[in-house]
């Protein structure tokens, strides 16, 4: 079985946001899959996806602090500044973290570790809503 759906996540502030439940709420079809894979693809170059800690919110705060230091704004050698000082850094962070995830499905549930969740990594100060393509493959 193959199934594909596009969903929209509400606009969020810059930072790392747990969106596992937002995705599952818009994808009830996952419950029909006994074994399979969910591919999650973000259709943006200034935001990204990753899987990490879902319990302690300070992890997400530390991620934002780390990436803000690792890829700072206003570097004098940046040429791409069309949409502001966060523009190029958001593209770099998006490339570092990536635009897609593959998550196993077992017995109608995402087979994530007990402390794992899906993060929307919003790298823009005012990024707006974000579109995801969700592709299920399984039986």
């Amino acid at each position: 079985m193959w199934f594909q759906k596009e969903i929209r996540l509400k606009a969020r502030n810059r930072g790392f946001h747990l969106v596992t439940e937002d995705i599952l709420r818009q994808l009830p079809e996952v419950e029909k899959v006994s074994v399979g894979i969910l591919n999650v693809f973000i259709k943006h170059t200034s935001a990204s996806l990753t899987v990490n800690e879902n319990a302690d919110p300070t992890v997400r705060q530390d991620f934002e602090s780390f990436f803000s230091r690792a890829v700072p704004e206003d570097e004098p050698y940046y040429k791409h500044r069309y949409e502001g000082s966060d523009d190029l850094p958001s593209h770099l962070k998006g490339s570092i973290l990536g635009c897609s995830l593959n998550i196993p499905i077992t017995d109608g549930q995402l087979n994530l570790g007990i402390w794992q969740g899906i993060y929307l990594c919003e790298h823009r100060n005012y990024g707006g809503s974000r579109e995801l393509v969700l592709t299920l493959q399984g039986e």
Side-chain angles (χ1 to χ4, degrees):
M1 173 201 81
W2 285 88
F3 178 79
Q4 190 172 77
K5 183 179 201 177
E6 291 195 31
I7 67 169
R8 182 177 300 273
L9 299 176
K10 69 179 181 178
R12 289 176 166 82
N13 294 331
R14 180 174 170 167
F16 290 76
H17 308 277
L18 271 174
V19 294
T20 312
E21 294 304 318
D22 295 334
I23 291 169
L24 290 174
R25 204 171 10 265
Q26 296 184 64
L27 190 67
E29 296 83 1
V30 76
E31 296 173 9
K32 299 174 185 171
V33 178
S34 59
V35 62
I37 292 283
L38 171 64
N39 176 268
V40 184
F41 177 82
I42 190 165
K43 294 174 68 172
H44 302 275
T45 61
S46 57
S48 56
L49 300 167
T50 196
V51 171
N52 216 292
E53 167 82 48
N54 68 359
D56 183 352
T58 63
V59 172
R60 296 189 304 278
Q61 294 166 3
D62 289 342
F63 262 59
E64 177 58 32
S65 295
F66 171 82
F67 278 97
S68 291
R69 283 183 142 193
V71 186
E73 295 181 11
D74 299 316
E75 288 296 328
Y77 54 87
Y78 292 165
K79 292 180 177 40
H80 182 77
R81 299 169 187 259
Y82 300 118
E83 296 177 25
S85 63
D86 66 341
D87 193 13
L88 181 64
S90 69
H91 295 310
L92 294 171
K93 293 171 190 176
S95 287
I96 290 166
L97 286 162
C99 59
S100 67
L101 302 171
N102 287 310
I103 301 169
I105 300 168
T106 306
D107 297 327
Q109 297 184 337
L110 300 183
N111 197 342
L112 292 166
I114 192 167
W115 305 115
Q116 289 182 315
I118 301 170
Y119 287 11
L120 167 67
C121 314
E122 179 54 68
H123 306 304
R124 298 300 308 265
N125 293 327
Y126 308 102
S129 62
R130 298 301 189 173
E131 295 176 31
L132 303 179
V133 179
L134 309 176
T135 305
L136 276 173
Q137 179 186 13
E139 52 185 50

